Amino acid sequence: QPQLRESGGDSVQAGGSLRLSCVVSGFTTSYFCIGWFRQVSGKEREGVAVLDIDDGSTYYADSVKGRFTLSQDNAKNTLYLQMNSLKPEDTAMYYCAADELMCRGKPDNGLGTGVIYEYDYWGQGTPVTVSS
């Protein structure tokens, strides 16, 4: 059974950095789009950054461009999200998700509204709190 397991969430001060990890396991079919999403209680889940596995293309939400960076370690089946210059508005539960459809085949390259419906596989989330 496919599993995505996030870790690395923590409480930091504004301006600080964190690296989130997502370990992927159990896929018997290929997935082509994987990425990070976040949700604040009472608000819709939003896309943060996604990766097209086939060509390595990455797509970032405008709110994190220049601050967050995706990377992967294929040997460890792990996707990372390096988050720098963190802001209080980055506070959220962060989720890793994957899908068999390429990111670029989804609305807004997989970062649009309704992301929860665009991805079939989700992790349990890891919390990030940024204090001012």
Side-chain angles (χ1 to χ4, degrees):
Q1 182 168 329
Q3 287 191 338
L4 298 96
R5 183 169 297 175
E6 305 95 334
S7 63
D10 205 345
S11 297
V12 297
Q13 290 196 326
S17 298
L18 283 174
R19 189 178 77 160
L20 305 184
S21 300
C22 172
V23 178
V24 181
S25 63
F27 277 83
T28 57
T29 59
S30 298
Y31 58 91
F32 293 98
C33 177
I34 188 169
W36 289 94
F37 305 81
R38 65 188 182 187
Q39 188 169 19
V40 175
S41 180
K43 294 190 176 182
E44 188 175 354
R45 194 168 298 185
E46 63 178 13
V48 175
V50 296
L51 166 72
D52 263 326
I53 297 294
D54 63 341
D55 66 0
S57 295
T58 54
Y59 306 95
Y60 294 90
D62 288 342
S63 59
V64 306
K65 281 180 182 176
R67 300 188 298 123
F68 291 10
T69 305
L70 278 174
S71 63
Q72 57 178 337
D73 185 331
N74 291 329
K76 296 182 179 179
N77 292 324
T78 301
L79 180 74
Y80 300 103
L81 182 68
Q82 178 66 44
M83 305 189 295
N84 298 329
S85 302
L86 282 161
K87 304 176 181 180
E89 52 263 43
D90 295 318
T91 295
M93 183 70 79
Y94 282 71
Y95 298 90
C96 180
D99 195 70
E100 296 167 2
L101 180 64
M102 292 179 289
C103 304
R104 59 185 181 271
K106 301 177 182 295
D108 292 323
N109 295 316
L111 296 172
T113 57
V115 293
I116 197 165
Y117 304 108
E118 293 288 338
Y119 294 81
D120 286 337
Y121 307 103
W122 290 89
Q124 294 299 307
T126 186
V128 172
T129 303
V130 184
S131 58
S132 57

